[in-house]
Amino acid sequence: MDKSKILTEIAAALQEHIRHIEASVTRYKLASDIDDDDTMDPEDLSRQAEASDMQLRFEQLLLQAKEQEFFIMDHDDENHDSIVPGALIETDSHYIYIGISVPSFQLEDKTVLTISEKAPAYLAMRGKKPGDTLELGEHYYKIVSIL
């Protein structure tokens, strides 16, 4: 398993996620930036307030995503012998990275999953070692290696 290659792909997926969030921030910023003199209908003011709230929510998501970028950089050269934040786990069919959360994707013949250390799934797998079995939902996976 080439950890740096997999982390590069995870970072690329995170960058794509950040681009989508930035586009949403821009879209809601434009929707909330209506000139008060141009709004005659009280419903317009309501939509403007909703857009402003959504903008703030997406800005918070953007901040979290950028913190995840730093997390990857801070943990990229670490190797682990058990499941902890920053560990990259290899099973027979998946790579699982602990510490961030981006949508899953395919890399060669395996699915890459990322799991936040705040997720219940992480709590169930924390501390496991190569040779142990992971339970994710209704599926069981044997840990091949951990980096």
Side-chain angles (χ1 to χ4, degrees):
M1 162 170 50
D2 183 1
K3 183 176 183 179
S4 63
K5 177 182 177 183
I6 297 167
L7 289 182
T8 298
E9 293 297 325
I10 291 171
L14 181 57
Q15 281 296 317
E16 183 66 22
H17 183 61
I18 287 172
R19 280 192 290 280
H20 287 290
I21 295 171
E22 287 172 336
S24 294
V25 168
T26 301
R27 183 174 60 251
Y28 284 113
K29 185 175 183 175
L30 290 172
S32 68
D33 195 22
I34 299 172
D35 187 3
D36 290 339
D37 295 333
D38 291 340
T39 48
M40 302 296 274
D41 187 354
E43 201 169 300
D44 289 342
L45 292 173
S46 175
R47 282 192 289 271
Q48 183 180 14
E50 287 175 9
S52 182
D53 288 345
M54 290 301 295
Q55 176 191 343
L56 291 174
R57 288 180 188 166
F58 277 103
E59 286 173 346
Q60 183 63 34
L61 287 174
L62 183 58
L63 180 63
Q64 291 170 352
K66 290 189 177 196
E67 288 172 356
Q68 290 180 353
E69 277 185 306
F70 289 117
F71 181 90
I72 293 173
M73 289 186 289
D74 286 346
H75 294 84
D76 66 346
D77 59 350
E78 296 176 353
N79 286 321
H80 306 280
D81 57 1
S82 66
I83 298 178
V84 296
L88 179 63
I89 304 143
E90 180 180 13
T91 72
D92 55 342
S93 59
H94 291 80
Y95 293 115
I96 305 167
Y97 184 70
I98 305 297
I100 70 166
S101 182
V102 296
S104 63
F105 60 92
Q106 285 296 124
L107 181 62
E108 297 169 3
D109 61 338
K110 294 191 180 197
T111 301
V112 178
L113 303 172
T114 57
I115 299 175
S116 167
E117 70 269 13
K118 297 173 186 164
Y122 167 68
L123 297 176
M125 64 174 66
R126 178 177 52 196
K128 291 192 181 267
K129 298 179 181 286
D132 290 346
T133 301
L134 293 177
E135 180 182 353
L136 293 176
E138 298 177 4
H139 303 282
Y140 293 87
Y141 305 98
K142 185 167 180 115
I143 300 171
V144 175
S145 65
I146 299 174
L147 292 176

